[in-house]
PDB file of all heavy atoms in Angstrom:
ATOM      1  N   ARG A   5      -2.431 -23.257  33.008  1.00  0.00           N
ATOM      2  CA  ARG A   5      -2.258 -22.444  34.213  1.00  0.00           C
ATOM      3  C   ARG A   5      -2.086 -20.989  33.842  1.00  0.00           C
ATOM      4  O   ARG A   5      -1.584 -20.632  32.781  1.00  0.00           O
ATOM      5  CB  ARG A   5      -1.082 -22.953  35.044  1.00  0.00           C
ATOM      6  CG  ARG A   5       0.316 -22.481  34.664  1.00  0.00           C
ATOM      7  CD  ARG A   5       0.709 -22.747  33.249  1.00  0.00           C
ATOM      8  NE  ARG A   5       2.120 -22.579  32.955  1.00  0.00           N
ATOM      9  CZ  ARG A   5       2.704 -21.453  32.547  1.00  0.00           C
ATOM     10  NH1 ARG A   5       2.013 -20.359  32.352  1.00  0.00           N
ATOM     11  NH2 ARG A   5       4.000 -21.406  32.312  1.00  0.00           N
ATOM     12  N   ALA A   7      -0.038 -17.971  35.523  1.00  0.00           N
ATOM     13  CA  ALA A   7       1.052 -17.992  36.508  1.00  0.00           C
ATOM     14  C   ALA A   7       1.644 -16.607  36.751  1.00  0.00           C
ATOM     15  O   ALA A   7       2.809 -16.364  36.474  1.00  0.00           O
ATOM     16  CB  ALA A   7       2.138 -18.962  36.039  1.00  0.00           C
ATOM     17  N   PRO A   8       0.853 -15.684  37.259  1.00  0.00           N
ATOM     18  CA  PRO A   8       1.366 -14.323  37.429  1.00  0.00           C
ATOM     19  C   PRO A   8       2.358 -14.210  38.585  1.00  0.00           C
ATOM     20  O   PRO A   8       2.338 -15.016  39.513  1.00  0.00           O
ATOM     21  CB  PRO A   8       0.110 -13.516  37.746  1.00  0.00           C
ATOM     22  CG  PRO A   8      -0.787 -14.493  38.431  1.00  0.00           C
ATOM     23  CD  PRO A   8      -0.526 -15.814  37.774  1.00  0.00           C
ATOM     24  N   SER A   9       3.203 -13.197  38.491  1.00  0.00           N
ATOM     25  CA  SER A   9       4.071 -12.842  39.611  1.00  0.00           C
ATOM     26  C   SER A   9       3.411 -11.683  40.340  1.00  0.00           C
ATOM     27  O   SER A   9       2.965 -10.731  39.697  1.00  0.00           O
ATOM     28  CB  SER A   9       5.446 -12.432  39.089  1.00  0.00           C
ATOM     29  OG  SER A   9       6.027 -13.530  38.428  1.00  0.00           O
ATOM     30  N   GLU A  41       3.728 -17.040  41.098  1.00  0.00           N
ATOM     31  CA  GLU A  41       5.171 -17.192  40.911  1.00  0.00           C
ATOM     32  C   GLU A  41       5.892 -16.064  41.634  1.00  0.00           C
ATOM     33  O   GLU A  41       6.136 -15.002  41.072  1.00  0.00           O
ATOM     34  CB  GLU A  41       5.496 -17.220  39.414  1.00  0.00           C
ATOM     35  CG  GLU A  41       4.751 -18.372  38.725  1.00  0.00           C
ATOM     36  CD  GLU A  41       5.443 -18.906  37.488  1.00  0.00           C
ATOM     37  OE1 GLU A  41       6.036 -18.109  36.738  1.00  0.00           O
ATOM     38  OE2 GLU A  41       5.390 -20.131  37.276  1.00  0.00           O
ATOM     39  N   TYR A 200      12.773 -17.833  38.299  1.00  0.00           N
ATOM     40  CA  TYR A 200      11.541 -18.090  37.540  1.00  0.00           C
ATOM     41  C   TYR A 200      11.687 -19.320  36.637  1.00  0.00           C
ATOM     42  O   TYR A 200      10.814 -20.195  36.619  1.00  0.00           O
ATOM     43  CB  TYR A 200      11.182 -16.843  36.709  1.00  0.00           C
ATOM     44  CG  TYR A 200      10.387 -17.147  35.474  1.00  0.00           C
ATOM     45  CD1 TYR A 200       9.038 -17.503  35.559  1.00  0.00           C
ATOM     46  CD2 TYR A 200      10.986 -17.116  34.210  1.00  0.00           C
ATOM     47  CE1 TYR A 200       8.305 -17.805  34.433  1.00  0.00           C
ATOM     48  CE2 TYR A 200      10.257 -17.423  33.081  1.00  0.00           C
ATOM     49  CZ  TYR A 200       8.913 -17.772  33.184  1.00  0.00           C
ATOM     50  OH  TYR A 200       8.209 -18.091  32.070  1.00  0.00           O
ATOM     51  N   ASN A 204       9.368 -22.491  37.255  1.00  0.00           N
ATOM     52  CA  ASN A 204       8.290 -22.552  36.267  1.00  0.00           C
ATOM     53  C   ASN A 204       8.246 -23.925  35.566  1.00  0.00           C
ATOM     54  O   ASN A 204       7.175 -24.528  35.434  1.00  0.00           O
ATOM     55  CB  ASN A 204       8.537 -21.414  35.256  1.00  0.00           C
ATOM     56  CG  ASN A 204       7.461 -21.293  34.204  1.00  0.00           C
ATOM     57  OD1 ASN A 204       7.543 -21.927  33.165  1.00  0.00           O
ATOM     58  ND2 ASN A 204       6.439 -20.475  34.458  1.00  0.00           N
ATOM     59  N   VAL A 216       1.085 -24.376  27.602  1.00  0.00           N
ATOM     60  CA  VAL A 216       1.553 -23.128  28.199  1.00  0.00           C
ATOM     61  C   VAL A 216       1.132 -21.999  27.264  1.00  0.00           C
ATOM     62  O   VAL A 216       1.667 -21.851  26.170  1.00  0.00           O
ATOM     63  CB  VAL A 216       3.089 -23.162  28.388  1.00  0.00           C
ATOM     64  CG1 VAL A 216       3.628 -21.768  28.723  1.00  0.00           C
ATOM     65  CG2 VAL A 216       3.465 -24.153  29.484  1.00  0.00           C
ATOM     66  N   ILE A 217       0.126 -21.251  27.688  1.00  0.00           N
ATOM     67  CA  ILE A 217      -0.387 -20.136  26.878  1.00  0.00           C
ATOM     68  C   ILE A 217       0.000 -18.870  27.622  1.00  0.00           C
ATOM     69  O   ILE A 217      -0.478 -18.632  28.740  1.00  0.00           O
ATOM     70  CB  ILE A 217      -1.921 -20.241  26.716  1.00  0.00           C
ATOM     71  CG1 ILE A 217      -2.291 -21.592  26.109  1.00  0.00           C
ATOM     72  CG2 ILE A 217      -2.452 -19.078  25.867  1.00  0.00           C
ATOM     73  CD1 ILE A 217      -3.791 -21.889  26.106  1.00  0.00           C
ATOM     74  N   ARG A 218       0.888 -18.064  27.051  1.00  0.00           N
ATOM     75  CA  ARG A 218       1.402 -16.899  27.779  1.00  0.00           C
ATOM     76  C   ARG A 218       1.827 -15.817  26.792  1.00  0.00           C
ATOM     77  O   ARG A 218       1.837 -16.031  25.588  1.00  0.00           O
ATOM     78  CB  ARG A 218       2.593 -17.324  28.651  1.00  0.00           C
ATOM     79  CG  ARG A 218       3.752 -17.854  27.849  1.00  0.00           C
ATOM     80  CD  ARG A 218       4.875 -18.369  28.738  1.00  0.00           C
ATOM     81  NE  ARG A 218       5.917 -19.001  27.936  1.00  0.00           N
ATOM     82  CZ  ARG A 218       6.913 -19.697  28.449  1.00  0.00           C
ATOM     83  NH1 ARG A 218       7.026 -19.852  29.748  1.00  0.00           N
ATOM     84  NH2 ARG A 218       7.823 -20.237  27.657  1.00  0.00           N
ATOM     85  N   TRP A 222       7.590 -13.876  26.681  1.00  0.00           N
ATOM     86  CA  TRP A 222       8.261 -15.073  27.188  1.00  0.00           C
ATOM     87  C   TRP A 222       8.829 -15.940  26.076  1.00  0.00           C
ATOM     88  O   TRP A 222       9.506 -16.939  26.347  1.00  0.00           O
ATOM     89  CB  TRP A 222       7.307 -15.900  28.065  1.00  0.00           C
ATOM     90  CG  TRP A 222       6.891 -15.101  29.254  1.00  0.00           C
ATOM     91  CD1 TRP A 222       5.688 -14.475  29.435  1.00  0.00           C
ATOM     92  CD2 TRP A 222       7.692 -14.765  30.385  1.00  0.00           C
ATOM     93  NE1 TRP A 222       5.690 -13.768  30.609  1.00  0.00           N
ATOM     94  CE2 TRP A 222       6.910 -13.932  31.216  1.00  0.00           C
ATOM     95  CE3 TRP A 222       9.003 -15.078  30.775  1.00  0.00           C
ATOM     96  CZ2 TRP A 222       7.394 -13.412  32.419  1.00  0.00           C
ATOM     97  CZ3 TRP A 222       9.467 -14.565  31.974  1.00  0.00           C
ATOM     98  CH2 TRP A 222       8.666 -13.748  32.770  1.00  0.00           C
ATOM     99  N   HIS A 229      13.517 -23.123  28.115  1.00  0.00           N
ATOM    100  CA  HIS A 229      12.524 -24.006  28.719  1.00  0.00           C
ATOM    101  C   HIS A 229      12.483 -25.355  28.002  1.00  0.00           C
ATOM    102  O   HIS A 229      12.434 -26.411  28.636  1.00  0.00           O
ATOM    103  CB  HIS A 229      11.152 -23.325  28.744  1.00  0.00           C
ATOM    104  CG  HIS A 229      11.134 -22.078  29.581  1.00  0.00           C
ATOM    105  ND1 HIS A 229      10.060 -21.246  29.679  1.00  0.00           N
ATOM    106  CD2 HIS A 229      12.104 -21.527  30.378  1.00  0.00           C
ATOM    107  CE1 HIS A 229      10.346 -20.233  30.491  1.00  0.00           C
ATOM    108  NE2 HIS A 229      11.587 -20.381  30.923  1.00  0.00           N
TER     109      HIS A 229
HETATM  110  N1  LIG B 601       5.456 -15.586  36.185  1.00  0.00           N
HETATM  111  C1  LIG B 601       5.439 -15.321  34.782  1.00  0.00           C
HETATM  112  C2  LIG B 601       4.687 -14.013  34.571  1.00  0.00           C
HETATM  113  O1  LIG B 601       4.636 -13.255  35.464  1.00  0.00           O
HETATM  114  C3  LIG B 601       4.780 -16.475  34.073  1.00  0.00           C
HETATM  115  C4  LIG B 601       5.179 -16.635  32.636  1.00  0.00           C
HETATM  116  C5  LIG B 601       4.693 -17.982  32.145  1.00  0.00           C
HETATM  117  O2  LIG B 601       3.470 -18.108  31.967  1.00  0.00           O
HETATM  118  O3  LIG B 601       5.501 -18.869  31.976  1.00  0.00           O
HETATM  119  O4  LIG B 601       4.156 -13.701  33.538  1.00  0.00           O
END
Side-chain angles (χ1 to χ4, degrees):
R5 84 304 193 270
S9 298
E41 301 207 323
Y200 153 74
N204 183 271
V216 168
I217 304 171
R218 62 184 174 190
W222 298 103
H229 297 175

